[in-house]
Every structure is written in structure tokens, then in C-alpha cells.
Amino acid sequence: MNSRTMWLLGAGLLCLAGAVFAVETQGFAEAIPAGANPNPVRLMRPPVAPLSAMAQLGKEIFYDASLSSSGALSCASCHSPDHAYGPPNDGPVMLGGAALSRQGARAVPSLTYLDRHPNFSIGPDKGDDDNVIDLAQMAAIGQQAARTTKTAGGTGASANIVPQGGLFWDGRADTLQDQALFPLLDRNEMDGGSAEIVADKLRHASYVQRFVELFGAGVLKNQRLLIAEAMFAVARYQVEEPNFHPYTSKYDHWLEGKARLSESELRGLQLFNDPDKANCAGCHTSAPTRDGLPPLFTDHQYEALGAPRNAALAGNRDPDYFDLGVCGPHRTDIAEQTQYCGMFLTPTLRNTATRHAFFHNGVFHTLEQVLDFYNFRDTNPEKVFPRAAEGTVQKYNDLPQKYHANVDVTDPPFDRHPGDKPAMREQDEADIIAFLKTLTDGNKPEN
């Protein structure tokens, strides 16, 4: 079932007032219970098997707080299994460092569903094309290329010459192995110190014998190899542990015909997929792949949305400091490609209802605030941006003026103007939130 079919499904199957749907099947009318999917599909989930010895080692490391300078922070502290491997607190960022008093630079993303994440690139997905074009060449092409509007059910946006893929908000890591190393050494996070310190802690860890069993005693003498294998083990744990990619949401079960959505959830699905309303599916794809893989609710592309500045972040006390996403400060290799400044990765919306910090800077704390931003950013900006002392609305106040042209003003609902009617009513937003809650894992199928 392709994305267009799924959009039509979401937009067309919703007879919300009736108790049943009636569909013709081989000449007979078959009753479909209200809220059921009349066209169930078979989803292909990752196989479940006992963890390998490598993954078991990775699990030990994932939960080992002794690797941090505080002795109190592990990978699981910020990526809690009880919170969809996202942050367990209500703050915009997590606190780390030796005294657990230093703010992380950005909101902590979830570690779920990263096993299918593509590597960082610029431009359309090349698939099996072996003709590699480097980032600078693709960025140069992107400066001249027209941008296709993203709409739910459309396919043209996949050809946009924009950044896509990679891990973190700026895509600076391509592998789970590399991703695991950054927070381990970041002084605002686990603050493990130097590679020498981390290696020495691994040599004295309670699980050190697992290294010897897997790699031989020689690995303990090779600092670089020891750390590399430790991070690879963490990556294997994330790939093999089913809880990192369970696909057990109510929506997954609805797709399979094993759950029914309420009237509000169905309306939310329709609005989510409607290019004239929320148009969420323009970036957060809601359809399974052609080979039956469950939807990831992200197109893996990057967007400059112009979110408000978060005054709660210590770094933002400096009026000259700006987090420019793929342009820096944490990533530096494409900083000269200024047409991408202010762009951040589109996250998955799976388990989004379990979060308390949204967008890269954690500026929003509820889904209601997020939807208000999408709804009013352009029609009533005074509702989402602060005012300056003289009373003017400070739109896009977390991005230097010279990069305001990078902000998306073409994809619905961002194609509206001051005074236009907002895309969503209050009830529409409530229904979309009801649907977003169906993306939380842990649902029990009805049959």
C-alpha cells in the first residue's frame, strides 16, 4: 500500500457518525465495526531472538553509570526505557557533568526506531546508485534547485536537495556506534573525560571478562580498539533489543485490523493526513512501506521551522549565540552551506505523547503548544513568539536575521499569512493529539 493509498484511506474511510461501515465484498455487504480499518495490512517487524553475547555486553555498558564523571549518569539515565528511551524529566534538556549541574545543549531525542535510520546525505535518496557525490557538490546543486512543496500523500518532496539522515538533531553521526561515543565524552553529559580515562574504567568494569571472551585479552591493551568495541556492543544492544523498535502502538494494531480507533482518533488521523489541514504526514509519513515495514513517522529530512528561542537554556543568555543545527556549533563540516542554517532533523512522532520537551531546544512542553506553533506561526505569530520592549513580535527570534529566508514558508500549514484563517480549529488540534497518543508503544491488540 503506497503513501497515496494510505492518505486516501485516512481521508476517505471516516464515516464518523455511523456505528458501522458497509463494504461490498464479493457481492455481499460486510459490516465493519466503527473505528476499524477496512483494509488491514500485514506489518513486517524485526525478528525477536535472544541477545547475542555482544549485545549483552552492550546492555551492561548502556546501564553503567560508573563511566560518567559523576558516577550517577548512564546512557539509560537520559534514554530511559520507561520513557521510550527518551528523557525521564520534564525539563527542556538533561543535566550532566561531574556535579550533574551542566545543561545539555539540546533536548534529548529518543533512541527508538533508529535501526532503520539512513546515513547523513544531501539530496534525494539515491538508493542503490553507486555514483557518489560529496556533500559540497550536492549542496552547490541545492543552492540552485527549486524546492518541492511537501504535502501528505505527495511524492515530489523526496527529490528535494536538502540534508537528510544521520543521528542527533544535526546528523553528525551516521552509526549507532559513533552516536554512543559523543555523550560519553561530552562534558555537559556523561563527561567521561579522556579516552584514556574511559578505557581504564572499562578495564576495571565488572563485565571486563566479557571483553576478553569476545575479543581476547589483547583488546584490553589497545585503548582505541577497546573503546570502539564497547561502543559497537552498545549499538548491537540497540539493534537486537526488541524494546528499541517494538511497533506495538495502537496505530500499528489498527493498521493490522487488530484495534479500533475512537471517533476523535479517526478525525485526528484524517487531519494528520489532510494537506489542507495539519499536513503532518507531509514530513511525518504515516503509511507502511511497499514491503510492509511499519511507518516511522519521519521522512528523515531536515527543516528550518523557526521555533522560538528558549530562555531556559543557559547558552541563550548570550544574545550572540545561536544553535544553527547542521551549520553548527556541534557540527562543522558543512557550516559554509548557509542555505541550511537553522535546519534540524525531523524526528519520529512515535511515542511523542510520552515526551515533555519538543523541538531541538525543548522550548515547548506540551503537544498543545506544538500544534499551536504550527497553527499560528504565520497567521497569528504573537501567540507563539515573544514581543520586544517596543511591542513588535520577535518572529524567528532564535535564528539570525540573515538566515530567516531558510525558514519553511511553503509547506502547509506554513504557507499562510497574517490575517489568514488558521489551518486548524481547537477541536482539530485536540483530535490530532488524540491520534498522536495512538502512536505510543505498549498497546495490547484486540484480537
Side-chain angles (χ1 to χ4, degrees), residues 55-76:
Q56 291 176 33
L57 171 60
K59 182 176 181 179
E60 298 254 28
I61 298 169
F62 190 83
Y63 287 94
D64 187 0
S66 73
L67 297 177
S68 66
S69 62
S70 66
L73 205 64
S74 70
C75 300

Side-chain angles (χ1 to χ4, degrees), residues 9 27 37-38 49 53 147 166 185 254 290 313 401 443:
L9 173 64
N37 182 0
R147 189 177 184 277
L185 298 178
W254 178 83
R290 292 181 180 179
L313 299 185
Q401 178 71 39
N443 180 71

Side-chain angles (χ1 to χ4, degrees), residues 196-266:
E196 290 81 4
I197 294 174
V198 171
D200 189 60
K201 287 185 175 181
L202 290 172
R203 294 187 189 103
H204 293 87
S206 61
Y207 46 82
V208 65
Q209 188 58 31
R210 289 187 181 270
F211 280 104
V212 176
E213 293 169 356
L214 284 166
F215 312 112
V219 72
L220 301 181
K221 301 176 183 178
N222 187 324
Q223 170 186 297
R224 182 177 179 183
L225 182 61
L226 177 60
I227 295 176
E229 296 294 8
M231 298 302 99
F232 180 73
V234 172
R236 286 309 310 170
Y237 173 55
Q238 292 179 241
V239 170
E240 295 183 27
E241 170 55 58
N243 288 330
F244 282 101
H245 34 71
Y247 299 106
T248 56
S249 72
K250 185 177 182 179
Y251 181 68
D252 292 310
H253 294 145
W254 178 83
L255 287 173
E256 297 175 301
K258 299 177 181 178
R260 288 182 287 175
L261 300 185
S262 69
E263 290 187 3
S264 179
E265 291 164 350
L266 283 169

Side-chain angles (χ1 to χ4, degrees), residues 19-25 28-34 36 38:
V20 297
F21 296 107
V23 297
E24 292 298 320
T25 305
F28 298 92
E30 180 181 340
I32 303 297

